[in-house]
Amino acid sequence: MWETYLVLVGLLFVLTILPKIPNSHWIFRFPDFGKIQITYFTVITFALGFFVEKSAYFWYLQGLLIVMFVYHGFTLIKYTRLYKVKKHQQTGNSSKKHHFISANVYQFNKDYSKFINLITKHQPDVFLTMESNGAWEKALQVLEKDYPFQHKVTLENTYGMHFYSKLKIVDAITHYFVADDIPSIEAHLKTEDGFDFVFFGVHPPPPSPTEEETSKERDGDLLSVAKRVKDFTKPVIVVGDFNNVAWSKSSILFRKTSHLIDPRVGHAFVSTFHAKSRLLRFPIDLMFHSEDIFIKDLKTLENFGSDHLPVYCEFFIDHQNDDQEERVEQADSEEIEEAEEIIEEGKEENGERDAVVTED
């Protein structure tokens, strides 16, 4: 039992330290995804310690576990309701409430009807799909009568994206910031009550043993988006499968560089992947917004057969309310320089992806 306890303490310590090392290899980046699980296992291991045979180092190890719990907890508590943020009400100056759904549909998920039923049930004003290929595009044609405005990027490499809207699309652009097979969608929308805003859909590749060896393309792509949106005068929403967590160094740099707000702070983790495992579920489908976007609700919806849960958001726009200004952080000169370096590294990275990906 003592050996098991010792191994657990050592493993938790390594997983805590690895993300602090400035290396883009997935081995150093992946433990950030499991911060919630690492915190739970730290508590369990601490409790287990009282049932093992004591040694001279016991209290030192228990003390180390307490330090690790406080370290992780200090970060994670910000993504719970225990961390108080001001709530905002609609006024006569606000737009009406709008809704969107963002969903990684999983390219090889053939249960199209479940997703179509989900859209029909919740009736979002706009929705974004990721990993949507030609088969998904064909299946979603039944929704085009209700969603007359579309922007489609049909790919078979698991990075296809489709955007559907009841709101008028004034302009739409497909960006390939770091690679010619990794798109992002920029859609300029106008609401029926006359409010303009920009919807940005992203899906960069993850650092993992089965996909990209490093986080260079992911981070370069996301920081390219941040650089693009920071000077927009219109309200901005950036959403999608970030393949990242909100508390990682690169996400914090994204937030500061883009001048956007993380709505999970003071709300919830909103964990999405893997849809079939509650224990190993990570909050990697993220959203950020400008200070004149006010979030009324942010949550996951029911599983429709994908490996990701869909994200549902209800929001309104208010140009007159400046209460969220204090939540906007801006990158300093050193961080801006770091972001530029990461963007260039992302462009130089040669991700090896097949044009057509088939299910193994």
Side-chain angles (χ1 to χ4, degrees), residues 10 33 44 94 125 132 173 179-180 211 237 294 305 312 345 359:
F33 288 64
I44 293 169
S94 308
D125 296 296
S132 41
I173 307 166
D180 59 8
E211 296 200 45
I237 290 172
F294 294 84
Y312 171 91
E345 287 178 356
E359 190 171 20

Side-chain angles (χ1 to χ4, degrees), residues 191-219:
T191 70
E192 292 178 353
D193 47 355
F195 287 80
D196 295 302
F197 72 100
V198 182
F199 187 100
F200 229 108
V202 302
H203 182 205
S208 79
T210 58
E211 296 200 45
E212 299 308 309
E213 188 175 273
T214 75
S215 64
K216 289 181 179 180
E217 280 191 306
R218 180 199 69 184
D219 296 343

Side-chain angles (χ1 to χ4, degrees), residues 285-347:
D285 293 84
L286 304 183
M287 174 200 172
F288 296 86
H289 62 88
S290 56
E291 63 189 75
D292 35 16
I293 299 281
F294 294 84
I295 307 303
K296 295 291 290 182
D297 194 14
L298 181 66
K299 62 185 179 182
T300 57
L301 298 176
E302 59 268 27
N303 187 4
F304 60 91
S306 174
D307 51 355
H308 289 245
L309 295 176
V311 173
Y312 171 91
C313 179
E314 180 181 301
F315 68 96
F316 64 88
I317 303 168
D318 191 341
H319 299 296
Q320 307 294 322
N321 189 338
D322 59 4
D323 285 353
Q324 293 191 126
E325 279 187 4
E326 62 186 26
R327 295 184 64 186
V328 176
E329 295 182 71
Q330 298 190 15
D332 58 29
S333 58
E334 187 176 324
E335 289 169 324
I336 292 171
E337 184 178 344
E338 181 183 4
E340 291 290 350
E341 290 175 1
I342 292 172
I343 290 171
E344 290 307 311
E345 287 178 356
K347 291 177 180 178

Side-chain angles (χ1 to χ4, degrees), residues 245-263:
V245 285
W247 47 78
S248 74
K249 182 181 178 181
S250 56
S251 279
I252 294 169
L253 188 58
F254 170 89
R255 176 164 49 80
K256 288 183 173 183
T257 305
S258 64
H259 304 170
L260 299 181
I261 296 167
D262 182 356

Side-chain angles (χ1 to χ4, degrees), residues 102-118:
S102 168
N104 183 323
V105 297
Y106 183 57
Q107 182 171 299
F108 309 109
N109 174 20
K110 306 299 183 185
D111 202 347
Y112 310 116
S113 60
K114 270 192 176 181
F115 182 73
I116 292 167
N117 291 339
L118 180 116

